[in-house]
Amino acid sequence: MASTVSLVESAKRSAAYQAVNDHLLPEYKYVGIGSGSTVVYVVEAIASKGPSFYGGMTFIPTGSQSKGLIRNAGLTLANLNERPVVDGRPVALDVAFDGADEVDEDLNLIKGGGACLFQEKLVAIAAKKFVAVADYRKQSSHLCTTWKTIPIEVLPLAAPDVLIRLREMGSPAPVVRSGLPSKAGECVTDNGMWIIDAPFPPLLLAKDLNSGVTGTGKDGVWEINALAAELLKLPGIVEIGLFHGFNGDQAVTLGKQLQAQKPVAAYFGLANGEVQVQNAV
């Protein structure tokens, strides 16, 4: 009988291969590569297609881990700020692939378990479309259900004040993430910042709101977009691990291209070997 670990890894691999097959077209030139354990299989799936497929593509990392994955696979690497500029604007990425710590039924995400959330968000919004890849444990009706905390990247000197404000907003026990066991002291991001993990009750969706439930923080209960807006007002917060708002397809309709944080689809590898695809509606 397969162990739970092997089932989870097999699920991640299946989801990654199907996501790449569905969303990486041979004519694409610029591809975002996220961070985390599932992205290992995304890069493997791309490399398996051979140089004749990916030879004309350039791959943009979200941090040091994905840089290493891209290099080791023999893919062409470029940092986000090294993209060509056309008509005064950096070229858009054709697609970005990344993992998620939790995905709700409206394709909002929590990311940042690997402390790469800021660069992950920069790459996501630089792409015409973003595709999330995960295993069956990451799917929830509402965020903060199974993944209990929101990762928040903060300026170290602001951390004490941010912790106080988070408690006032209804987060019962926010903490600065430790670097242990690999590093003594705080977890330091690729950007030299710290991560605060802030627990909140399950985050409401817009459809959950009514005259008696406003989602504006009473008793610590927040609607996801309201909480994100409030967090980003706090001085010292660099970025938050909530990926919300609208996706790349919706951005075109809204006239907000290259501002989208949500994926157009999420691929979940299941324990039985199948892949469930959750598309935006």
Side-chain angles (χ1 to χ4, degrees), residues 227-245:
L227 176 59
E230 194 69 18
L231 289 172
L232 289 169
K233 291 177 184 177
L234 297 183
I237 287 182
V238 177
E239 191 50 84
I240 62 173
L242 293 175
F243 285 54
H244 67 103

Side-chain angles (χ1 to χ4, degrees), residues 261-272:
Q261 301 179 19
K262 288 174 67 173
V264 297
Y267 284 67
F268 298 97
L270 306 181
N272 63 5

Side-chain angles (χ1 to χ4, degrees), residues 94-159:
D94 295 294
V95 64
F97 297 96
D98 206 347
D101 298 310
E102 191 170 32
V103 184
D104 73 15
E105 61 188 47
D106 279 357
L107 288 177
N108 299 297
L109 311 180
I110 289 177
K111 292 178 54 56
C116 298
L117 62 96
F118 190 12
Q119 292 189 45
E120 288 173 340
K121 190 166 287 190
L122 291 175
V123 169
I125 66 171
K128 297 175 184 176
K129 64 177 179 178
F130 164 36
V131 179
V133 185
D135 64 78
Y136 54 90
R137 302 170 302 167
K138 307 301 177 67
Q139 193 172 22
S140 297
S141 62
H142 294 74
L143 299 183
C144 291
T145 299
T146 56
W147 191 273
K148 302 294 186 180
T149 62
I150 299 169
I152 300 171
E153 191 159 350
V154 299
L155 190 70
L157 64 85

Side-chain angles (χ1 to χ4, degrees), residues 33-202:
I33 299 294
S35 307
S37 58
T38 307
V39 174
V40 172
Y41 299 111
V42 169
V43 174
E44 179 185 287
I46 295 169
S48 73
K49 293 182 173 294
S52 62
F53 180 88
Y54 62 69
M57 298 178 182
T58 298
F59 296 86
I60 312 298
T62 58
S64 57
Q65 181 218 10
S66 49
K67 280 185 181 178
L69 291 173
I70 293 167
R71 278 200 192 99
N72 292 339
L75 307 177
T76 300
L77 170 71
N79 291 317
L80 186 64
N81 62 342
E82 296 171 340
R83 290 170 292 159
V85 174
V86 178
D87 296 329
R89 298 172 64 91
V91 297
L93 310 186
D94 295 294
V95 64
F97 297 96
D98 206 347
D101 298 310
E102 191 170 32
V103 184
D104 73 15
E105 61 188 47
D106 279 357
L107 288 177
N108 299 297
L109 311 180
I110 289 177
K111 292 178 54 56
C116 298
L117 62 96
F118 190 12
Q119 292 189 45
E120 288 173 340
K121 190 166 287 190
L122 291 175
V123 169
I125 66 171
K128 297 175 184 176
K129 64 177 179 178
F130 164 36
V131 179
V133 185
D135 64 78
Y136 54 90
R137 302 170 302 167
K138 307 301 177 67
Q139 193 172 22
S140 297
S141 62
H142 294 74
L143 299 183
C144 291
T145 299
T146 56
W147 191 273
K148 302 294 186 180
T149 62
I150 299 169
I152 300 171
E153 191 159 350
V154 299
L155 190 70
L157 64 85
D161 295 299
V162 172
L163 287 168
I164 291 170
R165 181 64 185 123
L166 287 169
R167 294 187 194 100
E168 293 171 348
M169 292 173 63
S171 180
V175 296
V176 174
R177 187 183 297 178
S178 170
L180 293 172
S182 57
K183 175 191 173 295
E186 296 78 15
C187 171
V188 180
T189 72
D190 287 348
N191 311 304
M193 303 295 150
W194 289 357
I195 297 290
I196 289 176
D197 291 306
F200 280 92

Side-chain angles (χ1 to χ4, degrees), residues 246-247 250-260:
F246 49 88
N247 64 43
Q250 294 164 336
V252 176
T253 302
L254 295 169
K256 295 184 176 182
Q257 291 92 328
L258 306 183
Q259 300 177 51

